[in-house]
Amino acid sequence: MTVAAVILFARGADGALADAAGRSAARRIVESAWSGGATPIVVVCADPEGSVAAALAGSPAILAEPAPDEAGPVGQIVRGITVARERVTETEAALIWPGRMTWVDAETVTSMIEAFGGHRDAALRPRYRDELGWPTMIPISALDAFAVLPTSCMPDELLAELAATGVEVVPIDTGDPGTANDITASLESLPPYDGPPEPVNGPAPEWGSAAAEMPDDAPLEGPSLAPYSQATDPGD
């Protein structure tokens, strides 16, 4: 089962390089996604000066140029999923991860991937207490329906529109305050991570366990990051 992470920085390099408890937002999110078992990991971000690529050097991330602005949020999401599928054709779903959501725990990524095993055709959305959050899992089986949603819709609206097409949206209790609190809240101010109140889909897997045990300042192992531009897409 292959689940990608598509990390979206609407504010470009400023958002990707924002300080997130001593690391750049982009680096911290990539580490969480990798440790939790997501692969491939695609960062969709404009990077005219190469600063985001430098921040992600040595990580398993693929840096992709954004879709044109007029494509809207749906276009940026589809762009990231397309890059992920071109790199790993077996990709079955993607975690859509707004770049402002820097505090998501790696265990939540694992839980979402585990839950996908029991909901292969549904979109999965993490829930913390009574609040639905991010990242949200979009199955490849729903990509055609998702890709034609209105370009004017914001991400939360896109999920409502997707549900209206008949795709089930399933909330997953994660016990993770990072899914409901973005970078504007300090890490120290968040409630403690509780974890899911019950197994989301049977025994917990071991994906990413070795990476999760790395010191915070250790480099990520994986392929060298190479910027991925639309000009070099296969088939162009």
Side-chain angles (χ1 to χ4, degrees), residues 70-144:
E70 55 268 26
V74 65
Q76 305 305 333
I77 292 169
V78 171
R79 166 72 175 148
I81 295 175
T82 299
V83 172
R85 295 182 73 197
E86 287 171 349
R87 288 300 179 96
V88 180
T89 57
E90 296 84 3
T91 299
E92 299 177 59
L95 281 167
I96 308 306
W97 199 318
R100 69 181 188 279
M101 306 304 295
T102 51
W103 311 130
V104 177
D105 194 277
E107 291 295 334
T108 294
V109 177
T110 303
S111 294
M112 295 289 286
I113 295 173
E114 180 186 357
F116 176 63
H119 302 278
R120 292 298 186 101
D121 293 317
L124 307 181
R125 191 159 192 195
R127 179 170 59 196
Y128 177 68
R129 297 178 179 172
D130 294 327
E131 189 170 353
L132 294 173
W134 296 87
T136 289
M137 183 92 72
I138 302 293
I140 298 303
S141 61
L143 184 57
D144 287 346

Side-chain angles (χ1 to χ4, degrees), residues 10 13 32 48 80 103 115 149 187 198 236:
S32 293
W103 311 130
L149 296 180
L187 182 60
E198 58 187 25
D236 282 356

